[in-house]
Amino acid sequence: MDTILRAEHIRKTYGASSVPVDALNGIDLAFAKGKFYSIIGRSGSGKSTLLHILSGLDAPTEGKVYFEGKDLSEYSDRQMAIFRRRHMGFVFQQYNLMEEYNVLENICMPVKLDQRKPDPGFLHTVLETLGLLDKQEKYACQLSGGEQQRVAIARSVLSKPKIIFADEPTGNLDKKTAFETLELLMESAKKFGQTLIMVTHDLEAARMSEEVITIEDGKVIS
Ligand SMILES: Nc1ncnc2c1ncn2[C@@H]1O[C@H](COP(=O)(O)OP(=O)(O)OP(=O)(O)O)[C@@H](O)[C@H]1O
Ligand SMILES: [Mg+2]
């Protein structure tokens, strides 16, 4: 297997207080390049925590994450920020859109920050597929939750990252839009050899992935 990302003995304990929470209890996983994974499990089982650690947004209490063999804990904060911008795409439960920028500016932001130019043809395809062509000038406050989610997805896809991390990317979308959105994510992933790691409650969405990882109480059970 051509491994792009590997998690080794990951533990995560939140809170140094008298009631610490063990969110992850020893996770070992390897992700193959270009494959589509979904992570399922009950609310509070540790899915978002795992995604944050795999993407280097948060550090594990114990264990290591390797991206293409490189130990993420060796990066400085600044190196990590650049690394994430260049190689990783994110779609979160909260959309994290920038209020003071319009849809188009939000979508193009990671590419621009990386001193690259968005590919106009691809930009059009992404906007069209996600139904955002007529929303480019709008601001986050003028969009519905589903529309904001589609903007976040467009933003994650446009920079053609090596890995896309998605936390409930279709949670706020109706069935048809959810399906089309996943299709776009998968299409993009295939086209650019991207690895897709998606957390979902939706078993139907999980079924579209190539491998399902089930988490229970901070452990992988299958
Ligand atoms: N910042 C935090 N501080 C303290 N505890 C936290 C924090 N984030 C998560 N937790 C706890 O860690 C555990 C796992 O949370 P996590 O958000 O990873 O679950 P999840 O599987 O993503 O749930 P959901 O499906 O509801 O999004 C929960 O018990 C949660 O209360
Ligand atoms: Mg979560």
Side-chain angles (χ1 to χ4, degrees), residues 8-217:
E8 226 177 64
H9 315 312
I10 300 293
R11 287 180 185 279
K12 180 68 179 181
T13 305
Y14 283 114
S17 70
S18 53
V19 277
V21 177
D22 294 320
L24 298 176
N25 297 302
I27 296 225
D28 291 278
L29 284 170
F31 297 90
K33 198 169 179 213
K35 212 166 157 182
F36 177 14
Y37 296 85
S38 54
I39 299 176
I40 60 169
R42 289 161 58 176
S43 182
S45 57
K47 306 181 298 295
S48 295
T49 302
L50 177 60
L51 213 64
H52 291 171
I53 287 174
L54 288 174
S55 61
L57 272 180
D58 200 0
T61 309
E62 271 176 50
K64 287 201 188 285
V65 177
Y66 299 89
F67 176 87
E68 293 180 335
K70 171 112 171 89
D71 179 354
L72 291 191
S73 68
E74 286 171 13
Y75 284 115
S76 69
D77 287 353
R78 193 171 165 275
Q79 287 174 319
M80 196 65 217
I82 294 169
F83 167 80
R84 273 202 305 267
R85 198 159 68 213
R86 195 154 295 163
H87 300 302
M88 297 176 166
F90 299 93
V91 187
F92 286 133
Q93 269 177 317
Q94 323 83 341
Y95 323 109
N96 296 322
L97 300 184
M98 290 173 286
E99 304 281 338
E100 66 276 31
Y101 294 99
N102 70 24
V103 165
L104 186 63
E105 290 163 339
N106 263 282
I107 292 172
C108 296
M109 189 64 68
V111 179
K112 293 222 167 113
L113 283 172
D114 205 27
Q115 268 104 48
R116 288 185 285 161
K117 278 218 167 70
D119 166 352
F122 186 53
L123 175 61
H124 188 272
T125 303
V126 169
L127 289 169
E128 191 172 35
T129 313
L130 287 164
L132 294 170
L133 277 177
D134 59 346
K135 303 270 189 273
Q136 298 179 50
E137 310 284 318
K138 296 244 191 289
Y139 289 81
C141 64
Q142 301 172 298
L143 302 175
S144 72
E147 286 166 347
Q148 290 186 45
Q149 198 138 29
R150 282 183 273 143
V151 174
I153 289 166
R155 182 181 55 188
S156 77
V157 169
L158 191 73
S159 61
K160 299 177 185 169
K162 289 187 178 170
I163 304 187
I164 296 178
F165 295 95
D167 200 344
E168 298 282 359
T170 57
N172 291 308
L173 306 179
D174 61 75
K175 249 191 153 75
K176 183 167 169 282
T177 315
F179 182 78
E180 287 171 1
T181 302
L182 278 182
E183 292 261 277
L184 176 86
L185 269 175
M186 289 166 66
E187 223 172 84
S188 156
K190 279 270 147 355
K191 195 163 166 192
F192 301 107
Q194 292 162 321
T195 306
L196 187 54
I197 305 178
M198 169 180 78
V199 165
T200 186
H201 275 111
D202 181 355
L203 292 181
E204 227 168 285
R207 234 172 269 133
M208 289 172 78
S209 68
E210 293 163 279
E211 194 167 323
V212 180
I213 297 160
T214 310
I215 306 278
E216 203 177 286
D217 296 329

